[in-house]
Structures are given as structure tokens and as C-alpha cells.
């Protein structure tokens, strides 16, 4: 794949929810093209639909209107099993609340996407990743005992373990203090740069959005690129 | 990594690391497995014992029985059967006496071939053959007469030496229970006693050893039975008789224990799985977000449960087998019965399969919830749980599908699909009713919570938040406790009635089998005795309805009860215990009949109905002129039909009597009867009452065993709720303390919240127990006793609450985290 290759293409994507008081449109005519290796920030006021957009891109939800492609494949109308497979292969998630798997150790959390996808685990590479994340000493520790920063590093490791095409991060430093958040963010940015992974990050923090290649603002149910 | 490897790896990981969440289903399934294995093995073993010992228990391969003498040899000859050996026996009740005392006995007069099968087991001796001038008496008999082996006793005109103490006889499964003690003597000894056989109300039996019984022989024997209405023919292994029927009844009862336990185990598995999915929903949703498909997730969780099922089945089977072996050994040493060992492997497999089915069917509906998981909830939050009508329908489908394997289990155990459906349906209806009532109760309180003090409001809110798990916990514990309370209070009622109330009113003495020729002499010497004639008869017709003919034709509208023999009596006066509720008392007028009120309702008899009886081959008719009711507490003789003496005194009858006499007169009566009319039996009702109490106690112990496994499981469910929700409750308590509540108040709030379900269940269960016991006493047992208070029961309920309190206290006291740590700890 070349650097100029379009990794994500959204074409008039919209999402409407059914509520007891009638249909509620969250997104309308969202269109954009994102290339390989780009770092994208999506900002917007609270309740503007940022997380909804991220869930659509991450194939956790289905758009009501429009289509979108990831890595050249049309994914709009995939069934659940196909979505799960695609998600495992091409998408990595980092959640604000870490969302580590409670009964698993650090190493087990990180290799989980590979195991789920039935891939062979190259332990050397995984160990190298764990070392990059600064978690070698905590490798076989249960995640409940980790600090917030450590947990988010595990989450980053898990998200990158299967070398995804697209990395989606929802307020990755939202639950961390400033200093820890800075460290985690730096680690994240260094790692995605090294692996040339496309990063889409939702954030309220301008210091974070300013470090991205492109900034999109979600406003009035649609996406506007800030120039 | 292959899909199978992934499933096995992840499921094992979940079980090992989240093992606390699996304790409840493990324990529930283990208890159910133990109960199932024990009851399957006991039932199979007992059935095998009865089959193997059918001949011993019956006394022969073929046994003829009649109330009048008959020629057994001729009967076999007419059936073209040549027995290899025969034995004759006469059984009747009579009075024996020693130097000190007298007592009524069941007298077994046996010949030299007795017993054809089995053994008459003696203490410290071996029985070979009955001999003349000696008797063998059982332990109770020796006690009643105050004699030991080697002492002398007399019966009629003769004295005999007690040659041995009988431990068990081959025709009884238990050496213990019978209303009268037993004495064995030879035919020659009986002849020496000089008692006129015509005075006896005896049972004559002729037992035969037949090497192979063909179907032709069976047909011939049945034909003999049909042509001889006074003769019973028993073929070993063919006829359902007392013990076999009793065993079937006890088995059915124990099966209820299994079924209630299985229902609660299924509920626990369902609730635990639901709880696991709810608590771990984020982890499970992450799996989906990482690309695991939902069905694979279901397999992971299902396999995790299967480890638990396997462990529970293995543990339960081993412990169940161990318990069965223990029971086997205990029964052998206490009751001298060797229960055979059935095919343990087969029944263990059956138990494991049933446990597996129950678990799978309980698990599947709960896992449906995991299929509702939506990973997008991690990102955008919210709750996708279907509510309202869809949720209720889903719950109904879930409940119904969980009941299916239980119905299969019940049908298998009860050998009837209809009974299986009815029993499980019944349990389910009660359970669902209680669950719905509790849900509404909490909902109403929750809606009105603004009106109640903060302390109580917190508790109500917590109960509301417990959701389905809380409802299930309450319903399980309530059902188990209500059953326990009802049974315990019923036992108290019966004990009180038998020990206190009954002894206040009933006669001190009953006198049985007085012949017409003995009546006057007895009355002359003991004028305190009231005697009643007792004539056996069958109902030929009620108005135009020919009862025997209709029953023979298989008319199901006619109750089978009407076809049996009845005891008729004749009097001019009403007894103290009786009152006329309709019509006019006959006062001895010829052609009039007084009928028991309840029986008249059952038999559709009205005032003015004409009833025709067959008495010893003659027809006697009368018109119903009154309905009577009898005070059951009086202990006085109870007869469905009272006729005029003029109408039945011409028929030979046996007299039954009662008396209110002191101990010294009672002793004198015993001596008089033993010396001059040994065929008559005198029963002291105090001894009878004690025996009845023992019997009631034994039966109720059996019944209490039924309630213990479900009670254990229900209590565990509550305990699990306490342990599982501790983290949440601790955090809520910390929040309240952060807002200013004192530590002490927070502690008591936590304790009261924790105890609320168990306390509420106990109080309501006790109330329901009192109510149901009252209904049972009034309409079923006809006891005028209403126990409201029972110390043992209240202590038992208190112990359950204390157990839960202890767990809660332990969790609280061992929690060393400071307030700030609790609030910041995830």
C-alpha cells in the first residue's frame, strides 16, 4: 500500500436513531477521505456525535444512509460475522476507560486480537512491543492492579498487536492526569509513526488535536475539515 | 490459534480467574447431583430388593389368603400346579400374659416348613424350625410383657417358654414397625391353648414353592381368584402389595425433593450466568470489539460452564455414591436389611446427563443476553437491554425453556409425563407467583420511596437495583422456607394433637375381637366397657344404582371406594362424639340408616336414599334418615353406617369396645381377657399414642429431608448475592460517608440491606407456613390445633439470617481499604 492510498472513505454517511419521541438524526451527510499514515483528530461539542461516528467507522454500528470503504473494501453492508473478521484484521481500538479484559494478564490482553483472529503469535515481536510500551516487568500481572497510565499502554499494545490498518482512539488520555496523558500520547504517536498506521482520535484537548495532521470538526451533524 | 483451542483456552482462563462467580452454580449443581444420585440408587436398590425378595416378603412363590379356612392343596390341584413345598399359617390378634403383665399380640401360628423363603432372625440364636411348647416373641412384645428369653408366658389354657427374641421376620421389610408385637408358635402349641378357632378373626394363608411359574399357571390362579371371592391369590413379582406400594409412595416423595432441588439449581445456574454476563458485559463486549463473533463468545462462556458442570457431576456422583454406601451400611446395621447395590455406573451416568441437560437449558436463556451485547455501548454508552413487553416475553420464553429439562427429569423419575408436567408446573407456578409478587412489592415501595425515611429508602433502592438476581434470590429462599415452615408447623400440630389434645379425650382402652358369646361375660365383669357390634358388609345398591355391577362394568363415575367392605354397627343412641346435622336420628327404628355426613357427600347419598347391603350372603336394606358428624378428637369408634339393632343383630358379628378406666382396672381387664378369652385384644391407647408419635416423627423426618437441599441452595444463592455485590455496596457506602454519613450508620445500612431479603423471606414464609398449616389442619387433617409458635423453627430461621449476617460482617471487617482508596479504587 502506498502512503497516498485512501484508507478510509466516507460518502454521505448518516445515522438516525429511533427513540420513543421519534427518529433522532445524529449524523447527516458525513463525507471525507483519509489516507494511510495520517493522524486525524475529530473534535466537536459534547453530544455532537463523535463517538457515534467512531462506532460507525469501527464497524460497531451500521450507518442509516451513505456508504464507506476501509482499505479499498466496501464495508457498509457486511454482516455481523464479516464485520467482526474485518474489525479484527484491520481496526484497532483504544477506549477512554481502557476496557481491558479483566480475567487476562497484560500479555494476554495484548495478544487477544491475534488469538481471536486465529493468527500465529510471534512472541518475539510481541515481547518487543511490550518492551516498547515499558511493560516488560508487568507482563504477567493481572490488569486490575495496574495504574491508569499502565492500563492505557496495555490498551495501545492490544490495539496495535494485529498491525491494524486503522487505529481508532476515543479520548485516550481522558482518564489520565496531564503528565501521564502526555507520556501515553507520545508513545501512541511514536508507535503509529513507526508502523505507518492511520490514527483517528477523538479529543476535546486542543493540545492533542494540534499535534494531528488534520482536524475535523463535527458540527451540525456533519464533518468539516479545519484548515 | 484454532477456534477450538481459543474456546478452550479462554473458557478455562475465565473459570480459573473468575472462579468466585462460579461457586454458586458449582455448589447448586453438586447438591442436586448428590440428591439425584442418592435417590436414584436408593430407589433402584429398594426396587431390586423387593423384586429379589418378593418371595420372602410374600412368604412363597404363590400364596393363598383368606379370612376363613380353606383347602390349599385342593386349590393347587385344581390349577394343575404341583408345589415342591408348602407352608400353612394362621394370623390373628390375641392376648398373652406373663406373671406381671398382659398384652395384645399378633399371633402367627406356623407349621414346620415355615418360613419357605428367607429367615426368621433371632437375637443370639438361629431359628431352624418351630417346635412345640415354645414361643418366639419380638423385642417390643418382651418389653410389654416384662419377660426375657427363658421366661414363661401363657396364652389361653397353655404356658410356653420364650425360646428366642425375634429380630426380623421374612415377610416384613422393617423389623420395627407394627401396631402389635408378634409371637410365633406351632400349630400344636396353638391347639394346646384351647382357643376355639371359630372365635378368631383370623387370616389363613397357604404358601407354596413353585419352581417355575408359567403364564398358564398364572391364568389358572387368577381364575381361582375370580371364582372364589373370599380368596386372595398373590403371585410373587406380580402383585403390587403393601410394601411395594409403600416404597413407590416414599420414592415419589423423595423425588419431589430432587425436583425442587433441581428447579432451584436450574434457577441458580440461570441467575449466576445472567449475573456473570451482566457484571462482565464490558469485558465480553471488548471481545466482540476485538473481532470475536458472538457465537464463539457463547461457546467460550458455555465451555466455561461445562467445566463447572463436569466438576459438579463428578463431585456430586462420588459424594452421592459415598452417601448411598453409608446409608446401605446404616440400614444393614440398624434395620438388618441388606440393600443390594444396583448398577451404579448406569445411574451415575443418568444423573450426569440430567445435570448436564438442566445446566444447558438454564444456561442458554441467560446466554441470550450475551447475544444482546453491543460493543458500541463501550463507546457511546447507554443500555440496549430490551425493556417492557419484549423483556417480559423474553423472560417468559426463558422460563419456559428452562422448565423443559426439568419436566423431562420429573417424567423420568415419576415414570409419567403427565405427572412430570404437573409437578414441575406446580412448582414453577408457585415460584413465578412469588417472584411476581416480590417484584411488584419492591416496585411499589420504590415508587413510594420519597415518603419513607432515608435509611429505608436506601434499602428499597438497593433491592430495586438488584433486579432479576434479587427477585430470583428472594423467590428461591421464600419457596424453600415456606415449605420448611409448613412442614415443621404441621409436625408440631400433629405432635400436640397426639400427645396432649388426644390424650385428654380418647378412651384409655380399646377392646378388639369380642365374640357374641363373650360379650355378656365381659360386660358383667367390666360394666365400664361400651361394646359395639361390627358386621362386615358390601353395598349392593344405592337407590337404583347397582354398585358392584357398575364397578365390574368399569363405570368410572362410580367411586371404587364404594366397592369395598364396610363395617356396619347398630345402636339405639348417639355417641357423645356424634351429632345429627341433617334429618332425624333413627333411635333404633328398623329400616333406618344413619350415614356419616362427609361420606354421604362423597357417595352422593341423600336423605331418603335407599341402600341395600350384602351381609354374609343376605340382602339388608334401609332408608337414610339422618346424616351424622363425628368429633374426630374423641377417639370413639367411627362408623360410616349405623343401622337398627333389629336389622343386623341376627348376623354373627364381632364386637369392638372402649372404656375410660384407670390403670389398675386396665391391668385386671388384661388378666381377665388373657385367662378366659385369649382371642380378645386389649389395647392401651397411651402406648398406641406413643407409637403413632414415633411413626409421625419418622415420616416427618423423611419430609424434612425433602426441604433441606432446596433450603441449602436457596441460602447459598442469598450468600452469593451478598458476596457478589459487596464491591458495589462498599463503594455506595463510601460515597455516603464522603457526603457525611457516619461510619457506624453506613455499617448498619449495609447490614440491614444485606439481611433484608433473608429477613423478608423468613417473615413471609413463616406467615404462609402458619396459614397453610391452619388450612391443612382444618380441612385435611381435621385437627382443632393452630400452632403459631414453634421455638425450633424460629431458631432455624434465625440461624439462616445469622449465617448471612456473618458473611456480611466478615466481608466488612476484612476490608482494610481506607475511604479515599475505596472511592478511587476501580
Amino acid at each position: 500500500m502506498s502512503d497516498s492510498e485512501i484508507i478510509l472513505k466516507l460518502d454521505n454517511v448518516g445515522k438516525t436513531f429511533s427513540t420513543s419521541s421519534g427518529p433522532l438524526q445524529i449524523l447527516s451527510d458525513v463525507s471525507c477521505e483519509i489516507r494511510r499514515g495520517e493522524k486525524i483528530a475529530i473534535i466537536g461539542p459534547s453530544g455532537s456525535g463523535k463517538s457515534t461516528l467512531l462506532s460507525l467507522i469501527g464497524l460497531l454500528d451500521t450507518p442509516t444512509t451513505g456508504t464507506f470503504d476501509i482499505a479499498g473494501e466496501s464495508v457498509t453492508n457486511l454482516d455481523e460475522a464479516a464485520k467482526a473478521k474485518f474489525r479484527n484484521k484491520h481496526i484497532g481500538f483504544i477506549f477512554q476507560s481502557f476496557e481491558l479484559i479483566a480475567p487476562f494478564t497484560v500479555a494476554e490482553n495484548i495478544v487477544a486480537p491475534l488469538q481471536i483472529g486465529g493468527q500465529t503469535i510471534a512472541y518475539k515481536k510481541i515481547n518487543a512491543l511490550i518492551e516498547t510500551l515499558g511493560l516488560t516487568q508487568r507482563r504477567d500481572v493481572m490488569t486490575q492492579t495496574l495504574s491508569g497510565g499502565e492500563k492505557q499502554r496495555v490498551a495501545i499494545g492490544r490495539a496495535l498487536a494485529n498491525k491494524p490498518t486503522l487505529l481508532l482512539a476515543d479520548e485516550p488520555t481522558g482518564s489520565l492526569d496531564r503528565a501521564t496523558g502526555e507520556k501515553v500520547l507520545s508513545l501512541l504517536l511514536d508507535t503509529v509513526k513507526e508502523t505507518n498506521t492511520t490514527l483517528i482520535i477523538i479529543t476535546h484537548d486542543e493540545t492533542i488535536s494540534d499535534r494531528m495532521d488534520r482536524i475535523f470538526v463535527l458540527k451540525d451533524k456533519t464533518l468539516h475539515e479545519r484548515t | 490459534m484454532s477456534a477450538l483451542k481459543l474456546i478452550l483456552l479462554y473458557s478455562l482462563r475465565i473459570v480459573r480467574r473468575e472462579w468466585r462467580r462460579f461457586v454458586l452454580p458449582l455448589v447448586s449443581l453438586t447438591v442436586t447431583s448428590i440428591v439425584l444420585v442418592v435417590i436414584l440408587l436408593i430407589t433402584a436398590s429398594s426396587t431390586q430388593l423387593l423384586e429379589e425378595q418378593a418371595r420372602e416378603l410374600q412368604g412363597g412363590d404363590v400364596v393363598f389368603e383368606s379370612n376363613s379356612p380353606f383347602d390349599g392343596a385342593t386349590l393347587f390341584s385344581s390349577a394343575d400346579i404341583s408345589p415342591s413345598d408348602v407352608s400353612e399359617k394362621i394370623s390373628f390378634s390375641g392376648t398373652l400374659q406373663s406373671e406381671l403383665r398382659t398384652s395384645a399380640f399378633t399371633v402367627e401360628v406356623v407349621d414346620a416348613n415355615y418360613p419357605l423363603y428367607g429367615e426368621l432372625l433371632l437375637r443370639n440364636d438361629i431359628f431352624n424350625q418351630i417346635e412345640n411348647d415354645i414361643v418366639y416373641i419380638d423385642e417390643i412384645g418382651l418389653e410389654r410383657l416384662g419377660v426375657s428369653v427363658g421366661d414363661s408366658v401363657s396364652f389361653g389354657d397353655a404356658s410356653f417358654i420364650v425360646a428366642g427374641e425375634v429380630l426380623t421376620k421374612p415377610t416384613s421389610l422393617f423389623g420395627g414397625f407394627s401396631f402389635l408385637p408378634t409371637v410365633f408358635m406351632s400349630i400344636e402349641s396353638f391347639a394346646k391353648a384351647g382357643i376355639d378357632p371359630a372365635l378368631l378373626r383370623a387370616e389363613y394363608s397357604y404358601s407354596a414353592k413353585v419352581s417355575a411359574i408359567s403364564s398358564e399357571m398364572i391364568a389358572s390362579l387368577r381364575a381361582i381368584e375370580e371364582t372364589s371371592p373370599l380368596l386372595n391369590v398373590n403371585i410373587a413379582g406380580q402383585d403390587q402389595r403393601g410394601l411395594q406400594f409403600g416404597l413407590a409412595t416414599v420414592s415419589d416423595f423423595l423425588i419431589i425433593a430432587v425436583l425442587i432441588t433441581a428447579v432451584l439449581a436450574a434457577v441458580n445456574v440461570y441467575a449466576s450466568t445472567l449475573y456473570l454476563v451482566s457484571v462482565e458485559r464490558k469485558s465480553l463486549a471488548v471481545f466482540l470489539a476485538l473481532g470475536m463473533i458472538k457465537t464463539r463468545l457463547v461457546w467460550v462462556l458455555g465451555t466455561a460452564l461445562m467445566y463447572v458442570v463436569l466438576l459438579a457431576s463428578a463431585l456430586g456422583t462420588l459424594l452421592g455414591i459415598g452417601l448411598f454406601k453409608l446409608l446401605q451400611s446404616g440400614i444393614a446395621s440398624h434395620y438388618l436389611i441388606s440393600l443390594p447395590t444396583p448398577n451404579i455406573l448406569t445411574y451415575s451416568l443418568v444423573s450426569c446427563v440430567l445435570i448436564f441437560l438442566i445446566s444447558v437449558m438454564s444456561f442458554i436463556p441467560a446466554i441470550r443476553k450475551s447475544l444482546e451485547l453491543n460493543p458500541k455501548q463501550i463507546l457511546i454508552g447507554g443500555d440496549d437491554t430490551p425493556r417492557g413487553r419484549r423483556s417480559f416475553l423474553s423472560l417468559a420464553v426463558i422460563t419456559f425453556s428452562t422448565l423443559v429439562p426439568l419436566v423431562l427429569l420429573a417424567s423420568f423419575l415419576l415414570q409419567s409425563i403427565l405427572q412430570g408436567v404437573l409437578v414441575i408446573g406446580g412448582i414453577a407456578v408457585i415460584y413465578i407467583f412469588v417472584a411476581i409478587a416480590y417484584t411488584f412489592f419492591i416496585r411499589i415501595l420504590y415508587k413510594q420511596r420519597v415518603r419513607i425515611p432515608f435509611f429505608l429508602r436506601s434499602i428499597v433502592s438497593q433491592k430495586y437495583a438488584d433486579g432479576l438476581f434479587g427477585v430470583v434470590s428472594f423467590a428461591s429462599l421464600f419457596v424453600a422456607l415456606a415449605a420448611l415452615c409448613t412442614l415443621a408447623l404441621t409436625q408440631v400440630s400433629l405432635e400436640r394433637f397426639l400427645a396432649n389434645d388426644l390424650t385428654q379425650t380418647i378412651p384409655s382402652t380399646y377392646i378388639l375381637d369380642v365374640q357374641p358369646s363373650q360379650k355378656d361375660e365381659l360386660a358383667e365383669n367390666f360394666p365400664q366397657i361400651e361394646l359395639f357390634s361390627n358386621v362386615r358388609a358390601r353395598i349392593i345398591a344405592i337407590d337404583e344404582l347397582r354398585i358392584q355391577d357398575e364397578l365390574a362394568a368399569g363405570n368410572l363415575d362410580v367411586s371404587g371406594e364404594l366397592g369395598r367392605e364396610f363395617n356396619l354397627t347398630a345402636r339405639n343412641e348417639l355417641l357423645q362424639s356424634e351429632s345429627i346435622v341433617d334429618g332425624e336420628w333413627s333411635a333404633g327404628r328398623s329400616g333406618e340408616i344413619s350415614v356419616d355426613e362427609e361420606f354421604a357427600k362423597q357417595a352422593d347419598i341423600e336423605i331418603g336414599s335407599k341402600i341395600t347391603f350384602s351381609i354374609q350372603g343376605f340382602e339388608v336394606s334401609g332408608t337414610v334418615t339422618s346424616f351424622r358428624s363425628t368429633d374426630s378428637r374423641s377417639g370413639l369408634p367411627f362408623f360410616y353406617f349405623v343401622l337398627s339393632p333389629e336389622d343386623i343383630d341376627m348376623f354373627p358379628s364381632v364386637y369392638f369396645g372402649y372404656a375410660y378406666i384407670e390403670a389398675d382396672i386396665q391391668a385386671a381387664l388384661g388378666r381377665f381377657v388373657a385367662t378366659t378369652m385369649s382371642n380378645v385384644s386389649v389395647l392401651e391407647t397411651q402406648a398406641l399414642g406413643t407409637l403413632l408419635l414415633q411413626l409421625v416423627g419418622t415420616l416427618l423426618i423423611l419430609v424434612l429431608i425433602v426441604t433441606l437441599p432446596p433450603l441449602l441452595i436457596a441460602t447459598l444463592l442469598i450468600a452469593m448475592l451478598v458476596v457478589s455485590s459487596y464491591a458495589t455496596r462498599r463503594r455506595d457506602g463510601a460515597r455516603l460517608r464522603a457526603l457525611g454519613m457516619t461510619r457506624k450508620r453506613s455499617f448498619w445500612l449495609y447490614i440491614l440491606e444485606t439481611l433484608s431479603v433473608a429477613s423478608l423471606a423468613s417473615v413471609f414464609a413463616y406467615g404462609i407456613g402458619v396459614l397453610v398449616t391452619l388450612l391443612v389442619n382444618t380441612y385435611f387433617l381435621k385437627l382443632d390445633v393452630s400452632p403459631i409458635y414453634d421455638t425450633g423453627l424460629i431458631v432455624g430461621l434465625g440461624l439462616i439470617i445469622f449465617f448471612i449476617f456473618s458473611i456480611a460482617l466478615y466481608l466488612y471487617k476484612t476490608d482494610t481499604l481506607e475511604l479515599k482508596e475505596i472511592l478511587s479504587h476501580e
Side-chain angles (χ1 to χ4, degrees), chain B residues 470-501:
Chain B
V471 172
V472 158
S473 310
F474 176 83
S476 300
L477 190 62
F478 176 82
V479 165
L481 284 178
L484 178 68
C485 289
T486 305
L487 292 167
L489 289 172
T490 304
Q491 181 183 10
V492 167
S493 304
L494 281 168
E495 281 178 353
R496 223 173 268 180
F497 177 72
L498 290 169
N500 300 329
D501 299 25

Side-chain angles (χ1 to χ4, degrees), chain B residues 473-665:
Chain B
S473 310
F474 176 83
S476 300
L477 190 62
F478 176 82
V479 165
L481 284 178
L484 178 68
C485 289
T486 305
L487 292 167
L489 289 172
T490 304
Q491 181 183 10
V492 167
S493 304
L494 281 168
E495 281 178 353
R496 223 173 268 180
F497 177 72
L498 290 169
N500 300 329
D501 299 25
L502 200 59
T503 51
Q504 305 290 332
T505 56
I506 63 168
S508 62
T509 314
Y510 292 121
I511 303 100
L512 309 174
D513 298 328
V514 177
Q515 299 297 322
S517 58
Q518 297 165 325
K519 183 181 129 198
D520 292 338
E521 188 182 356
L522 190 63
E524 192 184 312
N525 283 278
F526 295 92
Q528 308 94 325
I529 296 174
E530 295 284 344
L531 288 169
F532 301 92
S533 64
N534 181 13
V535 169
R536 295 187 73 79
R538 287 191 194 269
I539 301 175
I540 298 291
I542 299 174
D543 292 324
E544 303 304 319
L545 189 67
R546 306 285 300 179
I547 299 297
Q548 303 300 330
D549 295 343
E550 293 294 328
L551 287 173
N555 184 347
L556 296 174
D557 290 333
V558 177
S559 166
E561 168 85 350
L562 294 176
R564 67 172 177 88
E565 271 196 322
F566 288 89
N567 292 315
L568 307 186
T569 193
R571 279 189 258 119
N572 295 325
E573 294 91 26
L574 278 171
L575 297 178
Q576 289 172 324
S577 57
E578 293 173 330
S579 58
I580 297 295
V581 295
D582 198 5
E584 191 188 330
W585 172 242
S586 61
R589 287 189 291 273
S590 175
E592 294 189 22
I593 303 173
S594 180
V595 181
D596 172 70
E597 176 195 16
E598 290 300 322
F599 182 79
K601 273 185 208 161
Q602 284 170 28
D604 283 332
I605 295 171
E606 296 171 351
I607 300 286
S609 293
K610 183 182 170 191
I611 304 179
T612 306
F613 295 100
S614 170
I615 304 174
Q616 296 164 19
F618 293 91
E619 287 192 8
V620 173
S621 297
T623 305
V624 176
T625 55
S626 63
F627 291 152
R628 276 168 302 113
S629 79
T630 308
D631 178 11
S632 59
R633 294 176 53 186
S634 68
L636 296 183
F638 172 78
F639 292 89
Y640 286 136
F641 302 102
V642 177
L643 281 72
S644 159
E646 230 181 285
D647 294 336
I648 65 171
D649 272 358
M650 74 282 279
F651 295 103
S653 59
V654 168
Y655 284 81
F656 166 89
Y658 69 88
Y660 294 91
I661 49 179
E662 300 295 328
D664 57 340
I665 302 176

